[in-house]
Amino acid sequence: MSQSFRRQICEAIKPYSDQVESTFRHYGGRFIVRGGEPDIKEGFGAQGRLVIIQFDSLKNAQDWYNSPEY
């Protein structure tokens, strides 16, 4: 994937990424990883931007995923 194509994808999701944190904060969600350059030791690793959100429980994560805010 070319760098310019990745940049276009990042710009296209910017409105979503700017607002998504406010949708999961109420459910106890918080960013663990958001972007950055991965240091891949084996295999192919993540393709594109890596985002990991942690929740206090699986139920909280499911409630957020199924919420009208998301």
Side-chain angles (χ1 to χ4, degrees), residues 26-55:
H26 171 75
Y27 297 90
R30 58 205 161 278
F31 284 115
I32 299 299
V33 175
R34 187 177 190 186
E37 291 297 320
D39 182 17
I40 299 164
K41 302 297 185 200
E42 294 183 22
F44 297 104
Q47 301 298 309
R49 187 173 170 92
L50 179 62
V51 176
I52 300 173
I53 303 167
Q54 180 179 11
F55 290 85

PDB file of all heavy atoms in Angstrom, residues 26-55:
ATOM      1  N   HIS A  26     -17.894   6.595  28.222  1.00  0.00           N
ATOM      2  CA  HIS A  26     -19.012   6.295  29.121  1.00  0.00           C
ATOM      3  C   HIS A  26     -19.065   4.809  29.489  1.00  0.00           C
ATOM      4  O   HIS A  26     -19.552   4.445  30.563  1.00  0.00           O
ATOM      5  CB  HIS A  26     -20.330   6.733  28.467  1.00  0.00           C
ATOM      6  CG  HIS A  26     -21.556   6.295  29.200  1.00  0.00           C
ATOM      7  ND1 HIS A  26     -21.978   6.896  30.360  1.00  0.00           N
ATOM      8  CD2 HIS A  26     -22.436   5.289  28.957  1.00  0.00           C
ATOM      9  CE1 HIS A  26     -23.070   6.281  30.793  1.00  0.00           C
ATOM     10  NE2 HIS A  26     -23.379   5.313  29.955  1.00  0.00           N
ATOM     11  N   TYR A  27     -18.548   3.951  28.627  1.00  0.00           N
ATOM     12  CA  TYR A  27     -18.570   2.504  28.859  1.00  0.00           C
ATOM     13  C   TYR A  27     -17.263   2.001  29.481  1.00  0.00           C
ATOM     14  O   TYR A  27     -17.023   0.798  29.543  1.00  0.00           O
ATOM     15  CB  TYR A  27     -18.855   1.772  27.541  1.00  0.00           C
ATOM     16  CG  TYR A  27     -20.219   2.121  26.985  1.00  0.00           C
ATOM     17  CD1 TYR A  27     -20.380   3.185  26.109  1.00  0.00           C
ATOM     18  CD2 TYR A  27     -21.345   1.415  27.375  1.00  0.00           C
ATOM     19  CE1 TYR A  27     -21.638   3.533  25.622  1.00  0.00           C
ATOM     20  CE2 TYR A  27     -22.602   1.748  26.898  1.00  0.00           C
ATOM     21  CZ  TYR A  27     -22.736   2.812  26.025  1.00  0.00           C
ATOM     22  OH  TYR A  27     -23.994   3.144  25.548  1.00  0.00           O
ATOM     23  N   GLY A  28     -16.433   2.915  29.946  1.00  0.00           N
ATOM     24  CA  GLY A  28     -15.184   2.540  30.597  1.00  0.00           C
ATOM     25  C   GLY A  28     -14.062   2.234  29.632  1.00  0.00           C
ATOM     26  O   GLY A  28     -13.047   1.656  30.017  1.00  0.00           O
ATOM     27  N   GLY A  29     -14.210   2.632  28.376  1.00  0.00           N
ATOM     28  CA  GLY A  29     -13.181   2.367  27.376  1.00  0.00           C
ATOM     29  C   GLY A  29     -12.081   3.416  27.407  1.00  0.00           C
ATOM     30  O   GLY A  29     -12.311   4.569  27.756  1.00  0.00           O
ATOM     31  N   ARG A  30     -10.882   2.984  27.070  1.00  0.00           N
ATOM     32  CA  ARG A  30      -9.748   3.903  26.972  1.00  0.00           C
ATOM     33  C   ARG A  30      -8.748   3.363  25.949  1.00  0.00           C
ATOM     34  O   ARG A  30      -8.603   2.149  25.808  1.00  0.00           O
ATOM     35  CB  ARG A  30      -9.093   4.115  28.322  1.00  0.00           C
ATOM     36  CG  ARG A  30      -8.585   2.868  28.996  1.00  0.00           C
ATOM     37  CD  ARG A  30      -8.509   3.044  30.520  1.00  0.00           C
ATOM     38  NE  ARG A  30      -8.455   1.782  31.221  1.00  0.00           N
ATOM     39  CZ  ARG A  30      -9.506   1.022  31.515  1.00  0.00           C
ATOM     40  NH1 ARG A  30     -10.710   1.379  31.166  1.00  0.00           N
ATOM     41  NH2 ARG A  30      -9.357  -0.106  32.159  1.00  0.00           N
ATOM     42  N   PHE A  31      -8.105   4.279  25.259  1.00  0.00           N
ATOM     43  CA  PHE A  31      -7.102   3.874  24.277  1.00  0.00           C
ATOM     44  C   PHE A  31      -5.895   3.276  24.996  1.00  0.00           C
ATOM     45  O   PHE A  31      -5.405   3.839  25.969  1.00  0.00           O
ATOM     46  CB  PHE A  31      -6.620   5.072  23.452  1.00  0.00           C
ATOM     47  CG  PHE A  31      -7.599   5.522  22.413  1.00  0.00           C
ATOM     48  CD1 PHE A  31      -8.195   6.769  22.498  1.00  0.00           C
ATOM     49  CD2 PHE A  31      -7.910   4.722  21.333  1.00  0.00           C
ATOM     50  CE1 PHE A  31      -9.088   7.209  21.533  1.00  0.00           C
ATOM     51  CE2 PHE A  31      -8.802   5.141  20.359  1.00  0.00           C
ATOM     52  CZ  PHE A  31      -9.389   6.390  20.465  1.00  0.00           C
ATOM     53  N   ILE A  32      -5.428   2.151  24.495  1.00  0.00           N
ATOM     54  CA  ILE A  32      -4.173   1.549  24.933  1.00  0.00           C
ATOM     55  C   ILE A  32      -3.109   1.849  23.873  1.00  0.00           C
ATOM     56  O   ILE A  32      -2.002   2.220  24.182  1.00  0.00           O
ATOM     57  CB  ILE A  32      -4.321   0.020  25.128  1.00  0.00           C
ATOM     58  CG1 ILE A  32      -5.360  -0.264  26.202  1.00  0.00           C
ATOM     59  CG2 ILE A  32      -2.993  -0.617  25.497  1.00  0.00           C
ATOM     60  CD1 ILE A  32      -5.057   0.290  27.570  1.00  0.00           C
ATOM     61  N   VAL A  33      -3.486   1.682  22.616  1.00  0.00           N
ATOM     62  CA  VAL A  33      -2.607   1.983  21.480  1.00  0.00           C
ATOM     63  C   VAL A  33      -3.428   2.763  20.475  1.00  0.00           C
ATOM     64  O   VAL A  33      -4.572   2.409  20.185  1.00  0.00           O
ATOM     65  CB  VAL A  33      -2.081   0.681  20.816  1.00  0.00           C
ATOM     66  CG1 VAL A  33      -1.266   1.006  19.567  1.00  0.00           C
ATOM     67  CG2 VAL A  33      -1.281  -0.149  21.792  1.00  0.00           C
ATOM     68  N   ARG A  34      -2.836   3.834  19.961  1.00  0.00           N
ATOM     69  CA  ARG A  34      -3.515   4.620  18.921  1.00  0.00           C
ATOM     70  C   ARG A  34      -2.459   5.168  17.971  1.00  0.00           C
ATOM     71  O   ARG A  34      -1.844   6.194  18.212  1.00  0.00           O
ATOM     72  CB  ARG A  34      -4.308   5.764  19.552  1.00  0.00           C
ATOM     73  CG  ARG A  34      -5.160   6.496  18.560  1.00  0.00           C
ATOM     74  CD  ARG A  34      -5.981   7.565  19.246  1.00  0.00           C
ATOM     75  NE  ARG A  34      -6.959   8.090  18.317  1.00  0.00           N
ATOM     76  CZ  ARG A  34      -7.746   9.122  18.580  1.00  0.00           C
ATOM     77  NH1 ARG A  34      -7.670   9.739  19.735  1.00  0.00           N
ATOM     78  NH2 ARG A  34      -8.596   9.537  17.684  1.00  0.00           N
ATOM     79  N   GLY A  35      -2.252   4.428  16.883  1.00  0.00           N
ATOM     80  CA  GLY A  35      -1.282   4.862  15.879  1.00  0.00           C
ATOM     81  C   GLY A  35       0.138   4.496  16.277  1.00  0.00           C
ATOM     82  O   GLY A  35       0.377   3.524  16.974  1.00  0.00           O
ATOM     83  N   GLY A  36       1.072   5.297  15.837  1.00  0.00           N
ATOM     84  CA  GLY A  36       2.479   5.022  16.090  1.00  0.00           C
ATOM     85  C   GLY A  36       3.035   4.076  15.040  1.00  0.00           C
ATOM     86  O   GLY A  36       2.331   3.596  14.164  1.00  0.00           O
ATOM     87  N   GLU A  37       4.297   3.820  15.145  1.00  0.00           N
ATOM     88  CA  GLU A  37       4.979   2.917  14.218  1.00  0.00           C
ATOM     89  C   GLU A  37       5.262   1.599  14.928  1.00  0.00           C
ATOM     90  O   GLU A  37       6.034   1.572  15.886  1.00  0.00           O
ATOM     91  CB  GLU A  37       6.293   3.540  13.733  1.00  0.00           C
ATOM     92  CG  GLU A  37       6.109   4.735  12.826  1.00  0.00           C
ATOM     93  CD  GLU A  37       5.405   4.373  11.529  1.00  0.00           C
ATOM     94  OE1 GLU A  37       5.696   3.289  10.968  1.00  0.00           O
ATOM     95  OE2 GLU A  37       4.571   5.161  11.074  1.00  0.00           O
ATOM     96  N   PRO A  38       4.635   0.513  14.510  1.00  0.00           N
ATOM     97  CA  PRO A  38       4.883  -0.775  15.170  1.00  0.00           C
ATOM     98  C   PRO A  38       6.294  -1.281  14.908  1.00  0.00           C
ATOM     99  O   PRO A  38       6.874  -1.032  13.854  1.00  0.00           O
ATOM    100  CB  PRO A  38       3.840  -1.710  14.546  1.00  0.00           C
ATOM    101  CG  PRO A  38       3.423  -1.060  13.283  1.00  0.00           C
ATOM    102  CD  PRO A  38       3.671   0.414  13.435  1.00  0.00           C
ATOM    103  N   ASP A  39       6.853  -1.972  15.884  1.00  0.00           N
ATOM    104  CA  ASP A  39       8.169  -2.610  15.774  1.00  0.00           C
ATOM    105  C   ASP A  39       7.919  -4.104  15.626  1.00  0.00           C
ATOM    106  O   ASP A  39       7.870  -4.839  16.608  1.00  0.00           O
ATOM    107  CB  ASP A  39       8.991  -2.288  17.018  1.00  0.00           C
ATOM    108  CG  ASP A  39      10.387  -2.877  16.953  1.00  0.00           C
ATOM    109  OD1 ASP A  39      10.840  -3.259  15.858  1.00  0.00           O
ATOM    110  OD2 ASP A  39      11.017  -2.959  18.019  1.00  0.00           O
ATOM    111  N   ILE A  40       7.734  -4.564  14.401  1.00  0.00           N
ATOM    112  CA  ILE A  40       7.333  -5.936  14.113  1.00  0.00           C
ATOM    113  C   ILE A  40       8.562  -6.840  14.149  1.00  0.00           C
ATOM    114  O   ILE A  40       9.538  -6.594  13.449  1.00  0.00           O
ATOM    115  CB  ILE A  40       6.626  -6.015  12.753  1.00  0.00           C
ATOM    116  CG1 ILE A  40       5.381  -5.137  12.810  1.00  0.00           C
ATOM    117  CG2 ILE A  40       6.293  -7.451  12.383  1.00  0.00           C
ATOM    118  CD1 ILE A  40       4.794  -4.800  11.487  1.00  0.00           C
ATOM    119  N   LYS A  41       8.483  -7.877  14.964  1.00  0.00           N
ATOM    120  CA  LYS A  41       9.603  -8.822  15.119  1.00  0.00           C
ATOM    121  C   LYS A  41       9.431 -10.051  14.234  1.00  0.00           C
ATOM    122  O   LYS A  41      10.405 -10.621  13.787  1.00  0.00           O
ATOM    123  CB  LYS A  41       9.727  -9.268  16.579  1.00  0.00           C
ATOM    124  CG  LYS A  41       9.930  -8.126  17.546  1.00  0.00           C
ATOM    125  CD  LYS A  41      11.215  -7.398  17.271  1.00  0.00           C
ATOM    126  CE  LYS A  41      11.451  -6.341  18.341  1.00  0.00           C
ATOM    127  NZ  LYS A  41      12.374  -5.315  17.936  1.00  0.00           N
ATOM    128  N   GLU A  42       8.189 -10.495  14.027  1.00  0.00           N
ATOM    129  CA  GLU A  42       7.929 -11.682  13.219  1.00  0.00           C
ATOM    130  C   GLU A  42       6.647 -11.503  12.435  1.00  0.00           C
ATOM    131  O   GLU A  42       5.752 -10.784  12.872  1.00  0.00           O
ATOM    132  CB  GLU A  42       7.794 -12.924  14.104  1.00  0.00           C
ATOM    133  CG  GLU A  42       9.061 -13.310  14.815  1.00  0.00           C
ATOM    134  CD  GLU A  42       8.920 -14.582  15.624  1.00  0.00           C
ATOM    135  OE1 GLU A  42       8.008 -15.373  15.307  1.00  0.00           O
ATOM    136  OE2 GLU A  42       9.707 -14.777  16.554  1.00  0.00           O
ATOM    137  N   GLY A  43       6.538 -12.162  11.314  1.00  0.00           N
ATOM    138  CA  GLY A  43       5.316 -12.112  10.516  1.00  0.00           C
ATOM    139  C   GLY A  43       5.121 -10.749   9.868  1.00  0.00           C
ATOM    140  O   GLY A  43       6.060  -9.993   9.682  1.00  0.00           O
ATOM    141  N   PHE A  44       3.880 -10.461   9.532  1.00  0.00           N
ATOM    142  CA  PHE A  44       3.565  -9.249   8.788  1.00  0.00           C
ATOM    143  C   PHE A  44       3.078  -8.110   9.665  1.00  0.00           C
ATOM    144  O   PHE A  44       3.105  -6.966   9.278  1.00  0.00           O
ATOM    145  CB  PHE A  44       2.529  -9.549   7.700  1.00  0.00           C
ATOM    146  CG  PHE A  44       3.032 -10.518   6.676  1.00  0.00           C
ATOM    147  CD1 PHE A  44       2.604 -11.834   6.687  1.00  0.00           C
ATOM    148  CD2 PHE A  44       3.952 -10.126   5.725  1.00  0.00           C
ATOM    149  CE1 PHE A  44       3.074 -12.739   5.750  1.00  0.00           C
ATOM    150  CE2 PHE A  44       4.431 -11.027   4.784  1.00  0.00           C
ATOM    151  CZ  PHE A  44       3.994 -12.336   4.803  1.00  0.00           C
ATOM    152  N   GLY A  45       2.554  -8.412  10.836  1.00  0.00           N
ATOM    153  CA  GLY A  45       2.074  -7.368  11.730  1.00  0.00           C
ATOM    154  C   GLY A  45       0.802  -6.710  11.221  1.00  0.00           C
ATOM    155  O   GLY A  45       0.191  -7.149  10.252  1.00  0.00           O
ATOM    156  N   ALA A  46       0.413  -5.654  11.885  1.00  0.00           N
ATOM    157  CA  ALA A  46      -0.804  -4.919  11.528  1.00  0.00           C
ATOM    158  C   ALA A  46      -0.600  -4.186  10.211  1.00  0.00           C
ATOM    159  O   ALA A  46       0.471  -3.645   9.951  1.00  0.00           O
ATOM    160  CB  ALA A  46      -1.158  -3.927  12.627  1.00  0.00           C
ATOM    161  N   GLN A  47      -1.617  -4.178   9.403  1.00  0.00           N
ATOM    162  CA  GLN A  47      -1.586  -3.438   8.148  1.00  0.00           C
ATOM    163  C   GLN A  47      -2.321  -2.124   8.366  1.00  0.00           C
ATOM    164  O   GLN A  47      -3.502  -2.121   8.673  1.00  0.00           O
ATOM    165  CB  GLN A  47      -2.251  -4.250   7.036  1.00  0.00           C
ATOM    166  CG  GLN A  47      -1.602  -5.595   6.799  1.00  0.00           C
ATOM    167  CD  GLN A  47      -0.154  -5.486   6.353  1.00  0.00           C
ATOM    168  OE1 GLN A  47       0.159  -4.761   5.424  1.00  0.00           O
ATOM    169  NE2 GLN A  47       0.724  -6.182   7.027  1.00  0.00           N
ATOM    170  N   GLY A  48      -1.648  -1.015   8.249  1.00  0.00           N
ATOM    171  CA  GLY A  48      -2.276   0.280   8.472  1.00  0.00           C
ATOM    172  C   GLY A  48      -2.183   0.690   9.924  1.00  0.00           C
ATOM    173  O   GLY A  48      -1.320   0.242  10.659  1.00  0.00           O
ATOM    174  N   ARG A  49      -3.093   1.516  10.344  1.00  0.00           N
ATOM    175  CA  ARG A  49      -3.085   2.097  11.681  1.00  0.00           C
ATOM    176  C   ARG A  49      -3.601   1.096  12.715  1.00  0.00           C
ATOM    177  O   ARG A  49      -4.633   0.470  12.528  1.00  0.00           O
ATOM    178  CB  ARG A  49      -3.969   3.346  11.671  1.00  0.00           C
ATOM    179  CG  ARG A  49      -3.924   4.141  12.923  1.00  0.00           C
ATOM    180  CD  ARG A  49      -4.717   5.435  12.696  1.00  0.00           C
ATOM    181  NE  ARG A  49      -4.921   6.138  13.931  1.00  0.00           N
ATOM    182  CZ  ARG A  49      -4.114   7.075  14.415  1.00  0.00           C
ATOM    183  NH1 ARG A  49      -3.054   7.416  13.721  1.00  0.00           N
ATOM    184  NH2 ARG A  49      -4.378   7.670  15.550  1.00  0.00           N
ATOM    185  N   LEU A  50      -2.871   0.970  13.811  1.00  0.00           N
ATOM    186  CA  LEU A  50      -3.243   0.043  14.871  1.00  0.00           C
ATOM    187  C   LEU A  50      -3.901   0.807  16.016  1.00  0.00           C
ATOM    188  O   LEU A  50      -3.350   1.800  16.508  1.00  0.00           O
ATOM    189  CB  LEU A  50      -2.009  -0.694  15.383  1.00  0.00           C
ATOM    190  CG  LEU A  50      -2.228  -1.691  16.514  1.00  0.00           C
ATOM    191  CD1 LEU A  50      -3.157  -2.814  16.066  1.00  0.00           C
ATOM    192  CD2 LEU A  50      -0.900  -2.257  16.989  1.00  0.00           C
ATOM    193  N   VAL A  51      -5.085   0.355  16.416  1.00  0.00           N
ATOM    194  CA  VAL A  51      -5.813   0.954  17.527  1.00  0.00           C
ATOM    195  C   VAL A  51      -6.284  -0.170  18.443  1.00  0.00           C
ATOM    196  O   VAL A  51      -6.871  -1.141  17.985  1.00  0.00           O
ATOM    197  CB  VAL A  51      -7.038   1.763  17.041  1.00  0.00           C
ATOM    198  CG1 VAL A  51      -7.835   2.296  18.214  1.00  0.00           C
ATOM    199  CG2 VAL A  51      -6.599   2.904  16.129  1.00  0.00           C
ATOM    200  N   ILE A  52      -5.984  -0.043  19.745  1.00  0.00           N
ATOM    201  CA  ILE A  52      -6.459  -0.991  20.743  1.00  0.00           C
ATOM    202  C   ILE A  52      -7.179  -0.199  21.820  1.00  0.00           C
ATOM    203  O   ILE A  52      -6.621   0.753  22.375  1.00  0.00           O
ATOM    204  CB  ILE A  52      -5.308  -1.804  21.354  1.00  0.00           C
ATOM    205  CG1 ILE A  52      -4.578  -2.601  20.273  1.00  0.00           C
ATOM    206  CG2 ILE A  52      -5.840  -2.737  22.457  1.00  0.00           C
ATOM    207  CD1 ILE A  52      -3.327  -3.308  20.760  1.00  0.00           C
ATOM    208  N   ILE A  53      -8.417  -0.600  22.107  1.00  0.00           N
ATOM    209  CA  ILE A  53      -9.231   0.036  23.141  1.00  0.00           C
ATOM    210  C   ILE A  53      -9.457  -0.996  24.236  1.00  0.00           C
ATOM    211  O   ILE A  53      -9.858  -2.126  23.948  1.00  0.00           O
ATOM    212  CB  ILE A  53     -10.587   0.509  22.582  1.00  0.00           C
ATOM    213  CG1 ILE A  53     -10.371   1.457  21.403  1.00  0.00           C
ATOM    214  CG2 ILE A  53     -11.420   1.176  23.674  1.00  0.00           C
ATOM    215  CD1 ILE A  53     -11.634   1.728  20.606  1.00  0.00           C
ATOM    216  N   GLN A  54      -9.212  -0.621  25.481  1.00  0.00           N
ATOM    217  CA  GLN A  54      -9.430  -1.521  26.612  1.00  0.00           C
ATOM    218  C   GLN A  54     -10.699  -1.118  27.346  1.00  0.00           C
ATOM    219  O   GLN A  54     -10.979   0.067  27.519  1.00  0.00           O
ATOM    220  CB  GLN A  54      -8.252  -1.449  27.582  1.00  0.00           C
ATOM    221  CG  GLN A  54      -8.404  -2.356  28.787  1.00  0.00           C
ATOM    222  CD  GLN A  54      -7.216  -2.292  29.713  1.00  0.00           C
ATOM    223  OE1 GLN A  54      -6.355  -1.434  29.589  1.00  0.00           O
ATOM    224  NE2 GLN A  54      -7.143  -3.211  30.645  1.00  0.00           N
ATOM    225  N   PHE A  55     -11.451  -2.127  27.765  1.00  0.00           N
ATOM    226  CA  PHE A  55     -12.659  -1.930  28.569  1.00  0.00           C
ATOM    227  C   PHE A  55     -12.495  -2.703  29.871  1.00  0.00           C
ATOM    228  O   PHE A  55     -11.723  -3.662  29.940  1.00  0.00           O
ATOM    229  CB  PHE A  55     -13.900  -2.422  27.823  1.00  0.00           C
ATOM    230  CG  PHE A  55     -14.278  -1.573  26.650  1.00  0.00           C
ATOM    231  CD1 PHE A  55     -13.692  -1.785  25.412  1.00  0.00           C
ATOM    232  CD2 PHE A  55     -15.207  -0.558  26.776  1.00  0.00           C
ATOM    233  CE1 PHE A  55     -14.033  -0.997  24.321  1.00  0.00           C
ATOM    234  CE2 PHE A  55     -15.556   0.235  25.694  1.00  0.00           C
ATOM    235  CZ  PHE A  55     -14.962   0.019  24.465  1.00  0.00           C
TER     236      PHE A  55
END
